[in-house]
């Protein structure tokens, strides 16, 4: 069923507490934790606790939850005090775009190099 935990998914294991993570925020339906391989001084991942393979599938199946993930990303930026300096939200989608974990997540990135625009 859509949204069910997947046995082979690293983020489902983090959500379940089977793999440790450095948690920065948690709500009933979302979790935010620090990326294990940070690319910037602030690099936090926000995930829905339910498993969807990518952001578009999440938004398609549960638009409210997708909105909550985005709102939580904004709250992470507030907590990290990077709203004024600016931050970037990235949803890699598909292995060709660098997605390596197929559980929807948004990267919250801040603290350096953001002037190098990709788009
Ligand atoms: P993607 O490349 O799929 O957009 O992003 C996946 C991210 O998850 C990568 O930046 C990677 O460093 C991070 N990651 C992979 N495994 C773990 C883990 O076990 N713990 C944490 N905290 N981050 C992870
Ligand atoms: Zn998962």
């Amino acid at each position: 069923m859509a949204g069910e935990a997947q046995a082979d998914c690293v983020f489902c294991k983090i959500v379940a507490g089977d793999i440790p993570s450095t948690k920065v925020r948690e709500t009933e339906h979302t979790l935010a934790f620090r990326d294990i391989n940070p690319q910037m001084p602030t690099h936090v991942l926000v995930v829905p606790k339910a498993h969807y393979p990518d952001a578009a599938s999440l938004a398609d199946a549960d638009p409210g939850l997708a909105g909550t993930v985005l709102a939580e990303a904004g709250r992470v930026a507030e907590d990290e005090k990077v709203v004024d300096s600016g931050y970037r939200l990235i949803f890699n989608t598909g292995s060709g775009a660098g997605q390596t974990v197929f559980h929807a997540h948004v990267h919250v990135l801040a603290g350096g190099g953001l002037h190098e625009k990709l788009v």
Side-chain angles (χ1 to χ4, degrees):
M1 207 179 89
E4 263 182 26
Q6 302 292 304
D8 58 349
C9 172
V10 62
F11 289 174
C12 283
K13 288 179 183 162
I14 286 175
V15 165
D18 295 339
I19 292 177
S21 68
T22 306
K23 207 179 283 185
V24 300
R25 290 187 62 84
E26 184 167 16
T27 67
E28 187 182 354
H29 297 296
T30 66
L31 183 67
F33 53 94
R34 297 203 185 278
D35 196 292
I36 202 168
N37 182 23
Q39 303 299 306
M40 285 198 185
T42 291
H43 189 169
V44 174
L45 302 171
V46 185
V47 306
K49 289 184 176 176
H51 178 98
Y52 296 95
D54 56 44
S57 336
L58 161 65
D60 207 31
D62 192 339
L65 181 55
T68 302
V69 167
L70 270 183
E72 279 297 304
R75 293 187 190 108
V76 165
E78 283 173 18
D79 292 351
E80 298 284 312
K81 305 197 184 325
V82 297
V83 174
D84 289 346
S85 50
Y87 60 96
R88 186 164 291 154
L89 302 180
I90 294 180
F91 296 92
N92 290 324
T93 303
S95 51
Q99 187 177 3
T100 57
V101 177
F102 290 83
H103 178 131
H105 56 279
V106 59
H107 296 256
V108 183
L109 294 157
L114 290 177
H115 54 281
E116 292 163 20
K117 290 183 64 168
L118 192 61
V119 290

